[in-house]
Short mmCIF file of all heavy atoms in Angstrom, two decimals:
data_model
loop_
_atom_site.label_atom_id
_atom_site.label_comp_id
_atom_site.label_asym_id
_atom_site.label_seq_id
_atom_site.Cartn_x
_atom_site.Cartn_y
_atom_site.Cartn_z
N TYR J 13 -68.92 -24.81 2.68
CA TYR J 13 -69.70 -23.68 2.17
C TYR J 13 -70.71 -24.29 1.19
O TYR J 13 -70.75 -25.53 1.06
CB TYR J 13 -68.78 -22.63 1.53
CG TYR J 13 -67.85 -23.16 0.45
CD1 TYR J 13 -68.26 -23.28 -0.86
CD2 TYR J 13 -66.54 -23.54 0.76
CE1 TYR J 13 -67.40 -23.77 -1.84
CE2 TYR J 13 -65.68 -24.03 -0.20
CZ TYR J 13 -66.12 -24.14 -1.50
OH TYR J 13 -65.28 -24.64 -2.46
N THR J 19 -77.83 -25.91 -14.04
CA THR J 19 -77.60 -26.46 -15.37
C THR J 19 -78.78 -26.06 -16.25
O THR J 19 -79.93 -26.23 -15.83
CB THR J 19 -77.50 -27.99 -15.32
OG1 THR J 19 -76.49 -28.36 -14.39
CG2 THR J 19 -77.15 -28.57 -16.69
N GLU J 50 -68.64 -19.68 -11.10
CA GLU J 50 -67.96 -20.26 -12.25
C GLU J 50 -69.04 -20.60 -13.27
O GLU J 50 -70.11 -21.08 -12.91
CB GLU J 50 -67.20 -21.53 -11.83
CG GLU J 50 -66.02 -21.20 -10.90
CD GLU J 50 -65.44 -22.43 -10.20
OE1 GLU J 50 -66.08 -23.50 -10.21
OE2 GLU J 50 -64.36 -22.28 -9.61
N HIS J 88 -87.47 -18.51 -16.67
CA HIS J 88 -88.38 -19.65 -16.74
C HIS J 88 -89.26 -19.55 -17.98
O HIS J 88 -89.51 -20.53 -18.68
CB HIS J 88 -89.24 -19.70 -15.47
CG HIS J 88 -89.89 -21.01 -15.23
ND1 HIS J 88 -90.93 -21.49 -16.01
CD2 HIS J 88 -89.65 -21.98 -14.32
CE1 HIS J 88 -91.31 -22.68 -15.56
NE2 HIS J 88 -90.53 -23.01 -14.54
N GLU J 96 -82.08 -27.34 -14.39
CA GLU J 96 -82.07 -28.07 -13.12
C GLU J 96 -81.21 -27.25 -12.16
O GLU J 96 -80.10 -26.84 -12.51
CB GLU J 96 -81.49 -29.47 -13.32
CG GLU J 96 -81.40 -30.31 -12.07
CD GLU J 96 -82.54 -31.32 -11.92
OE1 GLU J 96 -83.15 -31.72 -12.94
OE2 GLU J 96 -82.82 -31.69 -10.76
N ARG J 98 -79.62 -27.26 -8.32
CA ARG J 98 -79.34 -28.09 -7.15
C ARG J 98 -78.56 -27.27 -6.12
O ARG J 98 -77.62 -26.55 -6.48
CB ARG J 98 -78.51 -29.31 -7.54
CG ARG J 98 -79.20 -30.26 -8.51
CD ARG J 98 -78.26 -31.34 -8.97
NE ARG J 98 -78.86 -32.33 -9.86
CZ ARG J 98 -78.83 -32.29 -11.18
NH1 ARG J 98 -78.23 -31.29 -11.80
NH2 ARG J 98 -79.39 -33.27 -11.90
N VAL J 99 -78.95 -27.39 -4.88
CA VAL J 99 -78.25 -26.74 -3.78
C VAL J 99 -77.47 -27.81 -3.03
O VAL J 99 -78.04 -28.84 -2.63
CB VAL J 99 -79.22 -26.01 -2.83
CG1 VAL J 99 -78.47 -25.40 -1.65
CG2 VAL J 99 -80.00 -24.95 -3.59
N GLU J 103 -68.13 -30.15 0.83
CA GLU J 103 -67.50 -30.78 2.00
C GLU J 103 -65.98 -30.86 1.87
O GLU J 103 -65.28 -30.94 2.87
CB GLU J 103 -68.10 -32.18 2.21
CG GLU J 103 -69.61 -32.13 2.50
CD GLU J 103 -70.20 -33.49 2.79
OE1 GLU J 103 -69.52 -34.53 2.59
OE2 GLU J 103 -71.36 -33.53 3.24
N ARG J 107 -57.22 -28.65 -5.69
CA ARG J 107 -57.03 -27.87 -6.92
C ARG J 107 -55.64 -28.07 -7.52
O ARG J 107 -54.71 -28.49 -6.84
CB ARG J 107 -57.23 -26.39 -6.63
CG ARG J 107 -56.21 -25.75 -5.68
CD ARG J 107 -56.31 -24.22 -5.73
NE ARG J 107 -57.63 -23.73 -5.38
CZ ARG J 107 -58.01 -23.36 -4.14
NH1 ARG J 107 -57.14 -23.44 -3.13
NH2 ARG J 107 -59.23 -22.93 -3.92
N LYS J 108 -55.56 -27.75 -8.78
CA LYS J 108 -54.27 -27.48 -9.41
C LYS J 108 -54.25 -25.99 -9.72
O LYS J 108 -55.08 -25.49 -10.48
CB LYS J 108 -54.09 -28.27 -10.71
CG LYS J 108 -52.80 -27.88 -11.43
CD LYS J 108 -52.63 -28.56 -12.78
CE LYS J 108 -51.38 -28.03 -13.47
NZ LYS J 108 -51.12 -28.68 -14.76
N THR S 8 -81.19 -37.30 -12.06
CA THR S 8 -80.83 -37.68 -10.69
C THR S 8 -82.09 -37.93 -9.85
O THR S 8 -83.15 -37.38 -10.13
CB THR S 8 -79.98 -36.56 -10.06
OG1 THR S 8 -80.54 -35.29 -10.42
CG2 THR S 8 -78.56 -36.62 -10.58
N TYR S 13 -77.91 -36.82 -2.41
CA TYR S 13 -76.90 -37.58 -3.16
C TYR S 13 -75.69 -36.65 -3.29
O TYR S 13 -75.73 -35.53 -2.74
CB TYR S 13 -77.45 -38.04 -4.52
CG TYR S 13 -78.02 -36.95 -5.39
CD1 TYR S 13 -77.20 -36.22 -6.23
CD2 TYR S 13 -79.38 -36.64 -5.36
CE1 TYR S 13 -77.73 -35.21 -7.02
CE2 TYR S 13 -79.92 -35.64 -6.15
CZ TYR S 13 -79.11 -34.93 -6.98
OH TYR S 13 -79.62 -33.92 -7.76
N THR S 19 -64.19 -28.00 -12.17
CA THR S 19 -64.02 -26.83 -13.03
C THR S 19 -62.58 -26.84 -13.53
O THR S 19 -61.65 -27.01 -12.74
CB THR S 19 -64.28 -25.54 -12.22
OG1 THR S 19 -65.57 -25.63 -11.62
CG2 THR S 19 -64.22 -24.32 -13.12
N GLU S 50 -73.20 -33.97 -16.08
CA GLU S 50 -73.52 -32.81 -16.90
C GLU S 50 -72.21 -32.09 -17.19
O GLU S 50 -71.36 -31.98 -16.30
CB GLU S 50 -74.50 -31.88 -16.17
CG GLU S 50 -75.86 -32.53 -15.98
CD GLU S 50 -76.77 -31.83 -14.97
OE1 GLU S 50 -76.27 -30.97 -14.21
OE2 GLU S 50 -77.96 -32.17 -14.94
N HIS S 88 -53.56 -33.84 -14.97
CA HIS S 88 -52.79 -32.92 -14.14
C HIS S 88 -51.54 -32.45 -14.88
O HIS S 88 -51.17 -31.26 -14.83
CB HIS S 88 -52.40 -33.61 -12.82
CG HIS S 88 -51.99 -32.67 -11.73
ND1 HIS S 88 -50.81 -31.96 -11.76
CD2 HIS S 88 -52.61 -32.31 -10.59
CE1 HIS S 88 -50.73 -31.20 -10.67
NE2 HIS S 88 -51.80 -31.40 -9.94
N GLU S 96 -60.21 -27.02 -10.32
CA GLU S 96 -60.70 -27.06 -8.94
C GLU S 96 -61.74 -28.17 -8.89
O GLU S 96 -62.63 -28.24 -9.74
CB GLU S 96 -61.31 -25.71 -8.55
CG GLU S 96 -61.88 -25.67 -7.17
CD GLU S 96 -60.95 -24.99 -6.13
OE1 GLU S 96 -60.10 -24.17 -6.52
OE2 GLU S 96 -61.10 -25.32 -4.93
N ARG S 98 -64.48 -30.02 -6.38
CA ARG S 98 -65.21 -29.90 -5.12
C ARG S 98 -66.18 -31.06 -4.97
O ARG S 98 -66.88 -31.40 -5.93
CB ARG S 98 -65.97 -28.58 -5.07
CG ARG S 98 -65.09 -27.33 -5.11
CD ARG S 98 -65.95 -26.09 -5.20
NE ARG S 98 -65.18 -24.85 -5.19
CZ ARG S 98 -64.80 -24.18 -6.28
NH1 ARG S 98 -65.06 -24.65 -7.49
NH2 ARG S 98 -64.12 -23.05 -6.15
N GLU S 103 -78.55 -31.22 -1.39
CA GLU S 103 -79.57 -31.25 -0.34
C GLU S 103 -80.96 -30.96 -0.88
O GLU S 103 -81.96 -31.36 -0.27
CB GLU S 103 -79.21 -30.24 0.76
CG GLU S 103 -77.88 -30.56 1.44
CD GLU S 103 -77.54 -29.61 2.58
OE1 GLU S 103 -78.20 -28.56 2.72
OE2 GLU S 103 -76.60 -29.95 3.33
N LYS S 108 -87.02 -27.10 -14.31
CA LYS S 108 -88.02 -26.88 -15.35
C LYS S 108 -87.80 -27.97 -16.37
O LYS S 108 -86.73 -28.07 -16.98
CB LYS S 108 -87.84 -25.52 -16.03
CG LYS S 108 -88.80 -25.33 -17.20
CD LYS S 108 -88.56 -24.03 -17.97
CE LYS S 108 -89.49 -23.99 -19.20
NZ LYS S 108 -89.37 -22.73 -19.95
#
Side-chain angles (χ1 to χ4, degrees):
Chain J
Y13 54 85
T19 305
E50 293 166 347
H88 198 290
E96 179 100 24
R98 297 173 177 95
V99 177
E103 298 183 349
R107 65 167 59 93
K108 174 184 175 178
Chain S
T8 42
Y13 53 86
T19 305
E50 294 165 346
H88 198 290
E96 178 100 25
R98 297 174 177 95
E103 298 183 348
K108 175 185 175 177

